């Protein structure tokens, strides 16, 4: 129980090593009473450290490299770079520059892009620019393809399920192995349930950019306790646990209603890791004031500047859940959502040796990818 065995980037079953190979460890590390946990997986991150994934720049690749390197200190070992609603030209320029890749000393692994919009509701656009929103016209799925240009590196698409023709789009995306998420939407519960029956499996930042819970029609929020979910399927939901986007009481309600579906996301923007002031989120200018981020000149929240380890600590504090539960919301659940739980999100034998060492306060002390140390807090606490 006390040991974790790693070889060739995988977590090893030591029994086979002892009995079949009569082997022992080449290197032993004393983890000094740390908690060892699977690496965090962030399925919704718009940028950070001055890099905005929704801006088509010549040095986009170096920007994504910078973010993947810097988030290692937050315990993130793989992520889905997220693009907010943008003009088609931006998707056509940016998506070919995102490649799915393993993590390592160079940074966290990239699991594929999360495209949040532009097929979302005008009423619940949040920080998304209205002029770039689109609907499904006669072509439905073809319209989506024309907008994005390619789905090669796409892992998640957030759309509003009340849109006409969305059912066939959800079915087609699901058929291609892309996770469909419901969000930025005014859907009622039956529209949301229908979307799940057609293959949708995720809810983008629950409570944010959707109709508030109403007892006669709970809307998308009602999926957490719906009895119309197909047998054997689980609906997951993202939550921005930064103490700002969702009141701790709302976080507790969601967690108690459906603990196994909760996925912590940062929804971080380019300003994460930078000083307060003006930054971008795609086509918009945003202002950071403490942990609050608003579209400049308004009180519309626009993403967060919280880091994943902060979200884990806040979630645990707000709900009083066990340490394991808090850690699983940032590792196991996102892996299950993406169907990669046999490789990531656990410390099971044969899974990727992506793991963290944390102290009892859940502060990250070291980050490992494929069994190699890729980040460590130094003695000065840097």
């Amino acid at each position: 129980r006390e040991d974790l065995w790693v070889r060739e980037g995988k977590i090893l079953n030591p029994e086979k090593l002892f009995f079949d190979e009569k082997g022992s460890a080449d290197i032993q590390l004393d983890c000094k009473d740390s908690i060892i946990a699977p690496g965090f997986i962030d399925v919704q991150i718009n940028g950070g450290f001055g890099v905005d994934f929704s801006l088509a720049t010549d040095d986009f690749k170096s920007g994504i490299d910078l973010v993947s390197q810097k988030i290692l200190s937050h315990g993130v070992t793989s992520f889905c770079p997220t693009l907010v609603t943008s003009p088609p030209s931006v998707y056509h320029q940016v998506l070919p520059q995102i490649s799915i890749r393993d993590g390592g000393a160079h940074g966290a692994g990239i699991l594929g892009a999360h495209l949040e919009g532009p097929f979302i509701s005008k009423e619940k656009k949040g920080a998304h620019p209205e002029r770039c929103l689109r609907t499904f016209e006669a072509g439905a799925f073809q319209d989506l393809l024309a907008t994005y240009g390619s789905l090669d590196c796409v892992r998640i698409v957030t759309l509003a399920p009340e849109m006409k023709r969305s059912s066939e789009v959800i079915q087609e995306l699901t058929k291609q192995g892309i996770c469909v998420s419901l969000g930025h939407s005014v859907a009622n519960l039956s529209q949301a349930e229908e979307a799940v029956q057609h293959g949708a499996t995720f809810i983008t930042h629950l409570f944010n950019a959707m109709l508030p819970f109403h007892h006669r029609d709970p809307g998308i929020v009602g999926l957490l306790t719906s009895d119309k979910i197909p047998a054997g399927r689980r609906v997951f939901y993202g939550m921005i646990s930064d103490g700002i986007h969702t009141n701790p009481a709302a976080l507790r309600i969601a967690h108690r209603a459906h603990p196994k579906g909760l996925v912590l996301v940062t929804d971080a923007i380019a300003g994460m890791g930078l000083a307060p002031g003006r930054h971008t989120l795609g086509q918009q200018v945003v202002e950071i004031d403490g942990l609050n981020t608003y579209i400049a000149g308004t009180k519309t929240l626009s993403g967060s500047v919280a880091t994943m380890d902060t979200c884990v600590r806040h979630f645990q504090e707000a709900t009083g859940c066990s340490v394991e539960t808090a850690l699983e919301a940032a590792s196991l659940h996102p892996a299950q959502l993406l169907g990669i739980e046999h490789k990531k999100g656990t410390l099971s034998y044969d899974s990727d040796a992506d793991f963290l060492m944390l102290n009892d306060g859940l502060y990250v002390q070291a980050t490992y990818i494929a069994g190699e140390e890729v980040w460590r807090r130094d003695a000065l606490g840097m």
Side-chain angles (χ1 to χ4, degrees), residues 333-345:
H333 296 173
Q336 290 170 328
L337 164 73
L338 296 175
I340 56 174
E341 69 273 24
H342 56 292
K343 289 194 304 200
K344 309 255 184 222

Side-chain angles (χ1 to χ4, degrees), residues 12 113 117 171 177 290:
L12 196 64
Q171 283 172 304

Side-chain angles (χ1 to χ4, degrees), residues 233-282:
R233 284 263 300 283
R234 186 187 303 178
V235 173
F236 292 90
Y237 59 97
M239 291 212 80
I240 310 167
S241 161
D242 60 355
I244 286 162
H245 278 76
T246 355
N247 183 287
L251 190 55
R252 288 191 284 274
I253 286 173
H255 176 247
R256 287 177 194 176
H258 184 27
K260 295 271 181 248
L262 194 146
V263 172
L264 293 176
V265 297
T266 59
D267 197 19
I269 61 167
M272 174 182 68
L274 300 182
R278 292 199 159 203
H279 301 283
T280 65
L281 175 60

Side-chain angles (χ1 to χ4, degrees), residues 158-314:
T158 294
L159 53 78
E162 69 275 15
M163 289 191 143
K164 281 196 185 75
R165 317 273 315 255
S166 69
S167 292
E168 50 195 280
V169 173
I170 293 170
Q171 283 172 304
E172 191 53 49
L173 285 169
T174 306
K175 211 185 289 175
Q176 300 204 14
I178 293 169
C179 162
V180 175
S181 189
L182 311 178
H184 287 277
S185 157
V186 292
N188 59 33
L189 180 56
S190 65
Q191 289 168 321
E193 287 169 336
E194 192 184 332
V196 170
Q197 285 151 9
H198 285 116
T201 52
F202 194 39
I203 304 170
T204 296
H205 45 52
L206 187 76
F207 297 126
N208 294 110
M210 58 187 61
L211 291 178
F213 176 87
H214 187 282
H215 55 286
R216 274 193 291 281
D217 192 338
I220 290 179
V221 177
L223 287 175
L224 269 59
T225 56
S226 165
D227 55 3
K228 305 267 191 312
I229 308 295
R233 284 263 300 283
R234 186 187 303 178
V235 173
F236 292 90
Y237 59 97
M239 291 212 80
I240 310 167
S241 161
D242 60 355
I244 286 162
H245 278 76
T246 355
N247 183 287
L251 190 55
R252 288 191 284 274
I253 286 173
H255 176 247
R256 287 177 194 176
H258 184 27
K260 295 271 181 248
L262 194 146
V263 172
L264 293 176
V265 297
T266 59
D267 197 19
I269 61 167
M272 174 182 68
L274 300 182
R278 292 199 159 203
H279 301 283
T280 65
L281 175 60
Q283 312 293 306
Q284 312 268 42
V285 176
V286 297
E287 246 168 306
I288 298 181
D289 172 14
L291 274 182
N292 290 295
T293 58
Y294 302 112
I295 292 185
T298 73
K299 284 293 172 203
T300 301
L301 282 177
S302 56
S304 87
V305 286
T307 61
M308 184 56 98
D309 53 326
T310 309
C311 292
V312 170
R313 290 191 294 272
H314 178 264

Side-chain angles (χ1 to χ4, degrees), residues 44 46 82-85 114-118 128 158 184 204-205 267:
Q44 187 176 9
N46 311 292
T82 304
L83 278 74
V84 295
T85 296
H114 177 169
L115 305 181
E116 188 187 358
H128 293 237
T158 294
H184 287 277
T204 296
H205 45 52
D267 197 19

